[in-house]
Amino acid sequence: MVNYPHWQTVPLRWKDNDVYGHVNNVVHYSLMDTVINTWLIERGGLDIDSGPAIGLCVESRCAYHASVSFPDTLRIGLRVAHLGRSSVRYEIGMYTASETLVAEGHFVHVFVDRESRRPVEVTGKLRESLAELAV
Protein backbone atom coordinates (compact mmCIF):
# COMPACT_ATOMS: atom_id res chain seq x y z
CA MET A 1 0.00 0.00 0.00
CA VAL A 2 0.99 3.61 -0.52
CA ASN A 3 2.73 5.56 2.23
CA TYR A 4 0.15 7.08 4.58
CA PRO A 5 1.33 8.07 8.07
CA HIS A 6 -2.16 7.53 9.56
CA TRP A 7 -4.59 4.66 9.08
CA GLN A 8 -8.14 4.36 10.34
CA THR A 9 -10.36 1.30 9.96
CA VAL A 10 -13.97 2.09 9.14
CA PRO A 11 -16.76 -0.51 8.95
CA LEU A 12 -19.32 0.10 6.25
CA ARG A 13 -22.97 0.28 7.22
CA TRP A 14 -26.06 -1.24 5.62
CA LYS A 15 -27.31 2.21 4.65
CA ASP A 16 -24.06 2.93 2.74
CA ASN A 17 -25.18 0.60 -0.06
CA ASP A 18 -27.18 2.16 -2.88
CA VAL A 19 -29.86 0.52 -5.05
CA TYR A 20 -27.10 -1.04 -7.17
CA GLY A 21 -25.72 -2.94 -4.18
CA HIS A 22 -22.48 -1.05 -3.69
CA VAL A 23 -21.31 1.90 -1.63
CA ASN A 24 -22.61 5.10 -3.16
CA ASN A 25 -20.07 7.72 -4.26
CA VAL A 26 -21.26 10.29 -1.73
CA VAL A 27 -20.31 7.87 1.06
CA HIS A 28 -16.66 7.92 -0.08
CA TYR A 29 -16.59 11.71 0.40
CA SER A 30 -18.21 11.37 3.81
CA LEU A 31 -15.61 8.79 4.88
CA MET A 32 -12.76 11.03 3.75
CA ASP A 33 -14.24 13.96 5.67
CA THR A 34 -14.74 11.80 8.75
CA VAL A 35 -11.15 10.51 8.80
CA ILE A 36 -9.75 14.02 8.33
CA ASN A 37 -11.91 15.58 11.02
CA THR A 38 -11.30 12.73 13.46
CA TRP A 39 -7.57 13.47 13.12
CA LEU A 40 -8.08 17.23 13.48
CA ILE A 41 -10.19 16.86 16.62
CA GLU A 42 -8.29 14.05 18.34
CA ARG A 43 -4.71 14.93 17.38
CA GLY A 44 -4.87 18.58 16.36
CA GLY A 45 -7.09 19.82 19.15
CA LEU A 46 -9.57 21.41 16.75
CA ASP A 47 -12.63 22.63 18.67
CA ILE A 48 -15.43 22.32 16.12
CA ASP A 49 -18.05 23.73 18.49
CA SER A 50 -16.47 26.92 19.77
CA GLY A 51 -12.86 27.25 18.63
CA PRO A 52 -11.76 30.52 17.01
CA ALA A 53 -10.86 28.83 13.70
CA ILE A 54 -12.68 26.33 11.50
CA GLY A 55 -11.62 24.42 8.41
CA LEU A 56 -13.67 24.97 5.26
CA CYS A 57 -13.43 22.49 2.41
CA VAL A 58 -12.69 24.49 -0.75
CA GLU A 59 -11.83 21.58 -3.03
CA SER A 60 -12.36 17.83 -3.09
CA ARG A 61 -11.87 15.00 -5.53
CA CYS A 62 -12.33 11.25 -5.55
CA ALA A 63 -11.26 8.66 -8.13
CA TYR A 64 -12.95 5.27 -7.89
CA HIS A 65 -11.04 2.07 -8.61
CA ALA A 66 -13.12 -0.79 -7.22
CA SER A 67 -16.58 -1.44 -5.89
CA VAL A 68 -17.19 -2.20 -2.24
CA SER A 69 -20.34 -2.93 -0.24
CA PHE A 70 -21.67 -3.62 3.23
CA PRO A 71 -20.50 -5.54 5.29
CA ASP A 72 -16.96 -4.75 4.08
CA THR A 73 -14.52 -2.78 6.19
CA LEU A 74 -12.23 -0.15 4.73
CA ARG A 75 -8.73 0.84 5.80
CA ILE A 76 -8.38 4.54 5.09
CA GLY A 77 -4.95 6.13 4.81
CA LEU A 78 -4.40 9.84 5.41
CA ARG A 79 -1.45 12.08 4.59
CA VAL A 80 -0.75 15.77 4.05
CA ALA A 81 0.61 16.62 0.61
CA HIS A 82 0.88 20.37 1.27
CA LEU A 83 0.72 22.43 4.44
CA GLY A 84 0.49 26.13 3.70
CA ARG A 85 0.06 29.19 5.88
CA SER A 86 -3.73 28.84 6.16
CA SER A 87 -4.50 25.81 4.01
CA VAL A 88 -3.79 22.10 3.90
CA ARG A 89 -4.17 19.54 1.12
CA TYR A 90 -4.91 16.04 2.40
CA GLU A 91 -4.58 12.88 0.32
CA ILE A 92 -6.67 9.85 1.20
CA GLY A 93 -6.55 6.22 0.07
CA MET A 94 -9.31 3.69 0.73
CA TYR A 95 -8.43 0.00 0.74
CA THR A 96 -10.20 -3.26 1.47
CA ALA A 97 -8.81 -5.63 4.08
CA SER A 98 -7.20 -7.55 1.19
CA GLU A 99 -5.39 -4.31 0.17
CA THR A 100 -7.44 -3.64 -2.96
CA LEU A 101 -7.48 0.08 -3.74
CA VAL A 102 -11.13 1.17 -3.70
CA ALA A 103 -10.76 4.94 -4.08
CA GLU A 104 -8.28 7.74 -3.66
CA GLY A 105 -8.94 11.40 -3.30
CA HIS A 106 -7.98 14.71 -1.82
CA PHE A 107 -9.51 17.48 0.26
CA VAL A 108 -8.28 21.05 0.65
CA HIS A 109 -9.15 22.89 3.84
CA VAL A 110 -8.69 26.60 4.32
CA PHE A 111 -8.70 27.53 7.99
CA VAL A 112 -10.69 30.67 8.65
CA ASP A 113 -11.82 32.77 11.59
CA ARG A 114 -15.15 31.39 12.81
CA GLU A 115 -16.81 34.83 12.75
CA SER A 116 -15.25 36.77 9.89
CA ARG A 117 -14.58 33.75 7.63
CA ARG A 118 -11.22 35.31 6.72
CA PRO A 119 -8.18 32.98 6.43
CA VAL A 120 -6.10 32.48 9.57
CA GLU A 121 -2.67 30.98 10.02
CA VAL A 122 -2.50 27.33 11.07
CA THR A 123 -0.41 27.35 14.25
CA GLY A 124 0.35 25.46 17.44
CA LYS A 125 -0.88 21.95 18.09
CA LEU A 126 -2.94 21.92 14.89
CA ARG A 127 0.10 22.70 12.70
CA GLU A 128 2.22 20.18 14.60
CA SER A 129 -0.34 17.42 14.11
CA LEU A 130 -0.68 18.18 10.40
CA ALA A 131 3.11 18.19 10.03
CA GLU A 132 3.10 14.62 11.39
CA LEU A 133 1.07 13.61 8.32
CA ALA A 134 3.32 15.35 5.78
CA VAL A 135 5.02 13.14 3.22
Side-chain angles (χ1 to χ4, degrees), residues 60-93:
S60 61
R61 177 185 180 278
C62 188
Y64 307 96
H65 301 285
S67 182
V68 61
S69 61
F70 174 84
D72 291 335
T73 297
L74 293 179
R75 286 186 25 85
I76 302 177
L78 176 63
R79 65 183 174 208
V80 166
H82 176 76
L83 179 55
R85 188 186 70 76
S86 62
S87 66
V88 59
R89 183 180 193 271
Y90 311 93
E91 293 179 343
I92 303 100

Side-chain angles (χ1 to χ4, degrees), residues 18-97:
D18 63 18
V19 297
Y20 301 112
H22 62 81
V23 170
N24 187 273
N25 60 324
V26 71
V27 174
H28 294 83
Y29 281 95
S30 178
L31 292 172
M32 289 190 287
D33 198 28
T34 296
V35 169
I36 291 166
N37 281 291
T38 298
W39 177 270
L40 294 174
I41 293 165
E42 291 179 356
R43 300 291 293 271
L46 186 67
D47 180 351
I48 60 171
D49 294 320
S50 59
I54 59 173
L56 299 180
C57 179
V58 297
E59 178 181 316
S60 61
R61 177 185 180 278
C62 188
Y64 307 96
H65 301 285
S67 182
V68 61
S69 61
F70 174 84
D72 291 335
T73 297
L74 293 179
R75 286 186 25 85
I76 302 177
L78 176 63
R79 65 183 174 208
V80 166
H82 176 76
L83 179 55
R85 188 186 70 76
S86 62
S87 66
V88 59
R89 183 180 193 271
Y90 311 93
E91 293 179 343
I92 303 100
M94 298 182 187
Y95 295 83
T96 64

